[in-house]
Amino acid sequence: MRLVMVNVGVFLAIRLAAIVLYFAGISSAMMLSWIEVPSSAAMLLRRPWTVFTYMVAHYDLLHILFNMLWLYWMGRLFMEYFRAKQLVALYVMGGLGGAAIYVLGYALLPVLGGQLAFLIGASASVIAIVAAMAVYAPQYRVNLFFLGPVSLKWLALGAVVLMVLSTDPTQMGGQLSHLGGALVGALYGWQMRRGHDITAWLNRLFDAVANLAKPRPRKKGVGNPVGGKAYHYQQSSQQERAKQPSHAAPTEAEIDVILDKLKRSGYAALTEDEKATLFRASGKK
């Protein structure tokens, strides 16, 4: 829901800005060019932030409507198997993969050579989530209007066929980005079946950036004018508490490690300390 809210918020901001620019006699295309991914690698080097901004930006109402319906529907299914942090990381990686294939396609394919186009929308990120679930849980059945229960693998295959059959030159760049997102999602699902999370590095990066913004606690007793006695007392007290069982709330990183082990090996594989930590976490929730 937070991803949906971000996309909707950015969409409203873009449309409101477009209205203001219209009355000011300025084309909204100039504004969008600073948000969309350009097909030119040289221009992309001057606007590298667009590989992130484009994946949460939309300009057409139907475009964002269908993308957000898919994101909400498949995101809820994704959360039955994985965590929210993995969903966000896969969303970002799918968008980056879509932008990479898009730019490479315009650079390498003769039919697209020399054209300048721009990419906008969350389609690559959303298709990454669809492909991931189709590979990870191919037999999971969903109910479709007029078709009834359909396995995820057939749903994903149908989406790929539609992408291949769409040969309209004006849409080929978008199809390339869809292909990039699908490849990232399929790789994620395949690796998760083998117990390897390809988004782990990105989540560690997110955590590192978040930790930089947190204020560091000050050590008590440091710089005490009376021979440093207060510091030594504080240090010894911390050492004594470390020997005793901890009843403090576990950190999010500790919970993530335990949940990963739980998904891989089951509850019986957890140690007594890990079970106790998980119990304390659930109590705090």
Side-chain angles (χ1 to χ4, degrees):
M1 284 306 301
R2 290 178 181 176
L3 284 174
V4 172
M5 291 171 63
V6 168
N7 277 271
V8 172
V10 173
F11 169 74
L12 293 176
I14 289 176
R15 293 310 297 258
L16 289 174
I19 294 174
V20 174
L21 292 176
Y22 173 79
F23 285 106
I26 303 174
S27 172
S28 60
M30 182 180 298
M31 172 191 65
L32 291 175
S33 66
W34 291 90
I35 300 173
E36 302 167 317
V37 172
S39 60
S40 168
M43 184 179 292
L44 179 60
L45 289 176
R46 297 193 298 270
R47 305 175 184 181
W49 62 85
T50 57
V51 297
F52 296 100
T53 56
Y54 96 97
M55 68 179 73
V56 293
H58 300 78
Y59 193 75
D60 296 325
L61 179 61
L62 290 179
H63 191 192
I64 187 174
L65 176 61
F66 285 109
N67 274 343
M68 293 305 100
L69 287 175
W70 274 90
L71 176 59
Y72 178 77
W73 179 34
M74 299 306 297
R76 287 176 61 88
L77 176 58
F78 186 95
M79 294 290 289
E80 293 183 17
Y81 295 88
F82 307 109
R83 304 193 309 275
K85 293 174 65 174
Q86 293 169 306
L87 175 65
V88 174
L90 180 58
Y91 183 97
V92 174
M93 288 184 62
L96 294 176
I101 298 298
Y102 174 78
V103 175
L104 284 175
Y106 273 88
L108 301 178
L109 295 178
V111 69
L112 298 175
Q115 299 182 27
L116 178 61
F118 294 90
L119 179 67
I120 188 173
S123 300
S125 299
V126 173
I127 288 180
I129 298 172
V130 176
M133 292 310 304
V135 173
Y136 186 80
Q139 301 303 327
Y140 191 102
R141 301 179 73 83
V142 295
N143 290 315
L144 299 180
F145 291 115
F146 306 115
L147 297 178
V150 177
S151 298
L152 272 179
K153 61 181 180 181
W154 299 120
L155 182 63
L157 181 61
V160 172
V161 169
L162 289 176
M163 286 192 300
V164 173
L165 292 179
S166 178
T167 56
D168 183 357
T170 62
Q171 298 295 327
M172 190 172 293
Q175 304 306 332
L176 287 172
S177 71
H178 296 168
L179 178 61
L183 290 175
V184 172
L187 177 63
Y188 176 85
W190 175 56
Q191 287 294 305
M192 286 303 295
R193 289 176 67 92
R194 304 176 62 186
H196 179 238
D197 183 6
I198 65 172
T199 65
W201 68 273
L202 187 56
N203 275 317
R204 287 194 294 268
L205 178 61
F206 289 159
D207 291 339
V209 173
N211 289 333
L212 290 176
K214 293 181 180 179
R216 296 184 178 182
R218 298 177 60 184
K219 294 182 179 180
K220 297 182 179 180
V222 177
N224 184 17
V226 188
K229 293 183 180 179
Y231 170 74
H232 292 299
Y233 173 78
Q234 178 71 15
Q235 187 181 43
S236 62
S237 299
Q238 291 176 349
Q239 293 174 349
E240 290 298 325
R241 288 196 297 270
K243 298 178 182 179
Q244 300 175 358
S246 173
H247 297 286
T251 64
E252 186 176 352
E254 293 173 336
I255 297 174
D256 288 343
V257 172
I258 296 174
L259 289 177
D260 287 336
K261 184 175 180 181
L262 182 65
K263 288 180 180 293
R264 292 194 307 268
S265 307
Y267 185 77
L270 299 181
T271 64
E272 294 299 325
D273 289 340
E274 290 171 338
K275 292 178 181 178
T277 300
L278 198 60
F279 178 78
R280 291 200 306 274
S282 63
K284 291 296 181 181
K285 292 292 185 181

